[in-house]
Amino acid sequence: MAQQNTTVALEETAVQELASHLRGALLRPGDAGYEQALRVYNGMIDKRPALIAHCVDVADVIAAVNFAREHELTLAVRGGGHSGPGLGICDDGLVIDLSGMKGMRVDPSARTVRVEGGCTLGEMDHATHPFGLATPSGFISTTGVGGLTLGGGIGYLSRTLGLTIDNLLGVDMVLADGSFVTASAEDHADLFWAVRGGGGNFGVVTSFLFQLHPISTVYGGPMLWPLEQAADLMKFWRDFILNVPEEINGWFGFVTVPPAPPFPEQFHLQKMCAIVWCYSGALEQADTLFQPIRAKVPPAVDFAGPIPWPVLQSLFDALYPPGLQWYWKTDFFTDLSEKAIELHLKYGAQLPTMHSTMHLYPINGAVHRVGTSDTAFSFREANFAGVIVGVDPDPANNARMIQWARDYWMALHPYSAGGGYVNMMMDEGADNVKAAYRDNYARLAQIKATYDPSNLFHVNQNITPTR
Ligand SMILES: Cc1cc2nc3c(=O)[nH]c(=O)nc-3n(C[C@H](O)[C@H](O)[C@H](O)COP(=O)(O)OP(=O)(O)OC[C@H]3O[C@@H](n4cnc5c(N)ncnc54)[C@H](O)[C@@H]3O)c2cc1C
């Protein structure tokens, strides 16, 4: 009994000591704010950590990493909390919650922005837009810069300016041993290679330095077509997007039209196909560039036009608030064959719920100008990243939407390039992680062995340390 009391007392002392080293709050079950802090974007995730360290600076991160290592706790790192499988949180262990680290600094003359690890895409756009500048990121503005960047970063500017990692100039990181390093092309170049696609495997990124580009008002937005036109549209889109100037981006999707303005009432709750465009070239040329699609496959709804960059970036935020149930499947594709189109038509017509969707993101153009082994992100020759997501507010629909997503993916997978995008996978095991990195996996495993030999950072799409 005395032994047990001593153990409890020691643990309490240790926790109090950690709290005393943090400038941010340390939360435990029962504390005010704990229940709020454990909620992540995917409502399917229900994990309860023993400790949540709400870090506000690098010193807090160092203290929390050291504590987790010394006490052999499971350690999760939370950026924006958007991971499908809930990799920003864990059961029982310690969560480093970066959501308090929101600092940003734009350098307009160098055209760079330094972004702390807890920022969202929308917050980054907010900081850079007044300067008429932006860096490529993703499609929903509440997503974390942290996880999105570390996995690659596919978005509206991929064809034009590459993945988010192709615009990353350096990172500040806290490693598993508690040390602080800067990784860039000049410093710790192996680590910089690994974090450009290798996820949160190598440490806690406390800040990212990005190259910015003159992006302010673009020409974009959705066009919608009836499902009957899906085959013609997919073929047109495939040939168009593989050949048009790189300033044109446009992802294809199967969607259900939300029952609300600005969508015309006759289409409410109809399953349709969509292309959401983003053209970042000279606005006066936009009408000419979009004339072929408007002439050959006229859309039933056409919202494409000049739009401020942050508005396009957050167009779908209201449709996808936090807390919905999400189930993800993903694959890369080099082509979109007739047989694949046939399968898309079959499963696209069966979207199981209003929020469920399938997207094909074009990743040719600038993404192809970086070699398959130049960064950890491997599928550089793929032309499309595909994602199938079952989404709904009601957990009662989970079984149905998960089955649809799995069936759709199983049918399409034989026509894929063989692996998926780590940021759009669920917790699918080591083989799928290896398939996502292909030949880059062995080098990632070696770098992991150098920087995190005991796999402290394992709540992620995990790379096994191997010498
Ligand atoms: C609605 C929605 C839209 C999306 N759209 C896109 C898109 O357009 N393009 C795209 O490429 N992806 C997209 N994604 C996928 C997204 O990139 C991943 O879910 C990503 O992991 C989210 O990052 P996060 O920081 O928000 O997540 P978190 O759950 O906080 O973290 C995800 C993983 O990254 C690690 N991590 C996060 N921040 C850090 C850090 N600073 N240092 C070390 N490790 C860290 C975590 O430990 C965890 O393993 C989308 C996801 C959602 C839910």
Side-chain angles (χ1 to χ4, degrees), residues 41 77 79-83 87 98 138-139 144 147-148 154 203 205 421 423 459:
Y41 185 81
V77 179
H82 266 230
S83 152
L87 297 173
L98 299 172
F139 303 101
L148 178 128
I154 295 169
V205 176
Y421 176 36
N423 272 352
V459 183

Side-chain angles (χ1 to χ4, degrees), residues 82-214:
H82 266 230
S83 152
L87 297 173
I89 193 151
C90 59
D91 273 323
D92 302 324
L94 167 67
V95 173
I96 292 183
D97 183 345
L98 299 172
S99 62
M101 292 183 63
K102 300 274 194 205
M104 266 174 289
R105 183 174 189 276
V106 177
D107 180 339
S109 54
R111 287 190 175 162
T112 59
V113 62
R114 181 163 290 281
V115 179
E116 281 194 328
C119 292
T120 63
L121 309 184
E123 288 158 353
M124 181 165 73
D125 287 334
H126 175 84
T128 63
H129 187 61
F131 298 93
L133 299 170
T135 204
S137 59
F139 303 101
I140 301 262
S141 82
T142 53
T143 309
V145 171
L148 178 128
T149 303
L150 294 170
I154 295 169
Y156 284 118
L157 297 172
S158 296
R159 291 189 79 239
T160 321
L161 297 167
L163 301 172
T164 307
I165 49 170
D166 300 335
N167 296 274
L168 185 64
L169 300 173
V171 289
D172 284 351
M173 290 183 74
V174 176
L175 302 178
D177 64 3
S179 62
F180 174 85
V181 296
T182 292
S184 67
E186 290 78 37
D187 291 331
H188 295 91
D190 55 346
L191 190 56
F192 187 54
W193 178 87
V195 297
R196 285 177 290 162
N201 273 283
F202 304 94
V204 185
V205 176
T206 51
S207 75
F208 299 82
L209 182 67
F210 292 109
Q211 187 68 62
L212 295 170
H213 307 269

Side-chain angles (χ1 to χ4, degrees), residues 53-71:
H54 191 69
C55 296
V56 298
D57 60 18
V58 174
D60 280 1
V61 174
I62 291 172
V65 166
N66 285 338
F67 186 86
R69 189 189 61 252
E70 285 159 12
H71 294 268

